[in-house]
Amino acid sequence: MLQGIIMNTNNSTIQLVYATKEVILSFIRGAKEKIFIAKPGYTEKEIIFLIELIEKNNVKCTTYIDPDESAIRFGFGESKAIKVAQEKMEILNLQTIKGIRLSIVIVDDKALIFTPAALSWEEEPTELAYPNGLIGGKDLVDKILLQFSGPDQLPPALENITIFPTTTIQQVKKTITEATLKQTLEALEKNPPVDPSTLRQVNLYRNLYKLIKMEVRGANIKNKSLDLRQFNKIFPDINQRLKSSWIVFTNEDIDNLILPKKFSYLISKIEQKLTFDAGRFGRLIKTTDKHHFEKNIERAKMAFINAMKNNIEKISVCTSIKKDRKITNTSDKKAIMSLAVLLQESKKGLIEYLSFTAIQKKDCWGKLFSDNKALYRMMKQNELNETEALNCVIEDFVDNRLKFPKTDEMIEAIDVKLAYYDVSNELLNDEEFIKVLDEYGLKVRKYDSAYEEQDKRRH
């Protein structure tokens, strides 16, 4: 149909046409003197076709291509075609212009202008219900070529006043064209485009909000007890009268720990500022706020850990200097209310209690010292007095057998774990959850369409 229109096109006639890929190739095939073609991209078949036609019919050719890799990714052409065109730059008189979307094909004294299909989201039309191009004769050819005449060419004078600006397409130096195409090919090789024929349109959604679960570990100091039964078994005669466990922290001890309370309060404030209380469903956070939220939580955690460590260092110095001094004033009492001192005092009390128990049954010491026979031998040979030896073995028992908690280990265990969950379809149909969203005026999803790659082997 297009061929018949071409035959009947005079110098000034312009007609709307249906331009498909095969019809366009047929149009180009009729070239006798010149071919001018400007398209966003080409298939390898089209470039080879052009080269063969030029060499066979001695036709002069000027070829324009969009060097932006997005033109290939949108499905306007193939990266293989760029490689072939680059090798035959001289024959094709290859030029690059970014942003080509209106395709122009001039064959001798006929010009075809059309819109190409972007194959990444639409199929190549075989039958058109609406014209996708127009064709004109020599007058149109001359006007088009006038605007591709070179860098010094001014825009042509307009026959009628128009609000649309015109432009002159400047030629690009060969070295620049080569460098530009090289960069394009390198970008496409690093991240190859998807074959448009394998794509299919799908509907998808993106969660604007997520449900968040936060677990604070090690920061909330709770009452902890140690099982003393393995110690009590060493003294069977008085076993029933001994304590079965040792409370590491009293309720008063925990109340006097200020830093964990401050940390808990700070975490709560960060939660309130950046998340929404969704009741029994948890808390909602805006997806774009996740990084900011995590950064604030991490900063709070590190500040808490550093404060705990600094407190330990200050206490260790303080207690080494004032270990024999009784604390009487309020400021000193507050100064030692740290995790380190509480553990130290609790451990000291446990050692004293166990030592008092052991001193009453010296006939069981052989079993008590079973893990440290060298110490037992030194005591028997009077190289070490009984009190020193007993305190040493009891402390070793408390540390290694009863696993008395250590300050640095408790601090290292401090962590905040965050887990995110998508808002499910089931939740979006829950009346109570919908009520929460309405209360805050939240829209948790954004719906859109996209294209996914299919497995060719299934077709």
Side-chain angles (χ1 to χ4, degrees), residues 231 351 354-356 358-359 362 365-366 368-398:
F231 178 82
I351 292 172
L354 297 181
S355 296
F356 177 77
I359 200 74
K362 291 186 179 181
W365 282 16
L368 179 63
F369 281 80
S370 61
D371 290 341
N372 204 329
K373 293 181 179 179
L375 188 66
Y376 190 65
R377 186 171 58 253
M378 290 172 65
M379 182 186 67
K380 287 296 185 180
Q381 294 174 357
N382 296 320
E383 295 176 11
L384 197 66
N385 66 52
E386 287 185 350
T387 302
E388 290 175 331
L390 185 59
N391 283 338
C392 187
V393 77
I394 291 292
E395 184 170 8
D396 184 68
F397 192 94
V398 167

Side-chain angles (χ1 to χ4, degrees), residues 198-260:
T198 67
L199 297 178
R200 67 176 178 184
Q201 187 174 7
V202 293
N203 294 321
L204 52 82
Y205 65 83
R206 178 166 56 90
N207 280 321
L208 302 178
Y209 288 83
K210 286 180 177 288
L211 288 167
I212 183 173
K213 178 181 178 182
M214 181 168 66
E215 181 184 2
V216 180
R217 299 179 181 177
N220 297 322
I221 309 300
K222 298 179 181 179
N223 282 330
K224 182 178 177 63
S225 63
L226 297 177
D227 190 348
L228 300 181
R229 284 178 295 180
Q230 57 179 319
F231 178 82
N232 296 343
K233 289 178 182 177
I234 299 173
F235 309 97
D237 295 340
I238 58 172
N239 189 356
Q240 293 182 354
R241 299 198 303 272
L242 298 177
K243 293 182 179 180
S244 61
S245 62
W246 179 264
I247 304 298
V248 177
F249 300 113
T250 65
N251 290 332
E252 185 180 358
D253 290 337
I254 294 172
D255 287 340
N256 287 328
L257 284 172
I258 303 301
L259 287 175

Side-chain angles (χ1 to χ4, degrees), residues 212-397:
I212 183 173
K213 178 181 178 182
M214 181 168 66
E215 181 184 2
V216 180
R217 299 179 181 177
N220 297 322
I221 309 300
K222 298 179 181 179
N223 282 330
K224 182 178 177 63
S225 63
L226 297 177
D227 190 348
L228 300 181
R229 284 178 295 180
Q230 57 179 319
F231 178 82
N232 296 343
K233 289 178 182 177
I234 299 173
F235 309 97
D237 295 340
I238 58 172
N239 189 356
Q240 293 182 354
R241 299 198 303 272
L242 298 177
K243 293 182 179 180
S244 61
S245 62
W246 179 264
I247 304 298
V248 177
F249 300 113
T250 65
N251 290 332
E252 185 180 358
D253 290 337
I254 294 172
D255 287 340
N256 287 328
L257 284 172
I258 303 301
L259 287 175
K261 293 178 182 178
K262 287 185 176 180
F263 177 60
S264 179
Y265 174 77
L266 182 56
I267 290 292
S268 177
K269 293 296 287 183
I270 295 171
E271 259 193 331
Q272 291 174 21
K273 186 177 180 180
L274 292 174
T275 66
F276 300 88
D277 184 6
R280 67 182 179 88
F281 305 103
R283 300 192 74 87
L284 281 163
I285 185 170
K286 197 173 184 179
T287 307
T288 53
D289 286 340
K290 281 173 55 183
H291 177 70
H292 185 50
F293 180 75
E294 291 165 3
K295 192 174 179 180
N296 283 350
I297 292 294
E298 182 65 18
R299 187 186 292 119
K301 183 187 82 173
M302 294 310 300
F304 174 53
I305 290 174
N306 289 334
M308 295 282 278
K309 287 180 178 178
N310 291 336
N311 206 345
I312 291 168
E313 290 170 3
K314 291 175 183 176
I315 291 301
S316 62
V317 173
C318 176
T319 52
S320 65
I321 295 173
K322 304 180 180 179
K323 60 182 178 180
D324 295 323
R325 190 182 110 189
K326 290 185 178 180
I327 298 169
T328 55
N329 60 67
T330 306
S331 61
D332 282 343
K333 284 182 179 178
K334 288 182 178 179
I336 68 165
M337 290 308 170
S338 71
L339 181 62
V341 169
L342 290 178
L343 285 172
Q344 180 182 348
E345 293 298 316
S346 180
K347 181 179 175 182
K348 181 182 176 182
L350 177 58
I351 292 172
E352 288 176 354
Y353 167 74
L354 297 181
S355 296
F356 177 77
T357 301
I359 200 74
Q360 300 177 56
K361 296 291 292 182
K362 291 186 179 181
D363 56 326
C364 297
W365 282 16
K367 194 172 182 180
L368 179 63
F369 281 80
S370 61
D371 290 341
N372 204 329
K373 293 181 179 179
L375 188 66
Y376 190 65
R377 186 171 58 253
M378 290 172 65
M379 182 186 67
K380 287 296 185 180
Q381 294 174 357
N382 296 320
E383 295 176 11
L384 197 66
N385 66 52
E386 287 185 350
T387 302
E388 290 175 331
L390 185 59
N391 283 338
C392 187
V393 77
I394 291 292
E395 184 170 8
D396 184 68
F397 192 94

Side-chain angles (χ1 to χ4, degrees), residues 2 18-25 124-128 132:
L2 180 62
Y18 302 92
T20 63
K21 185 185 293 184
E22 294 304 320
V23 169
I24 293 166
L25 287 178
E124 180 73 34
T126 53
E127 294 183 5
L128 295 168
N132 66 331

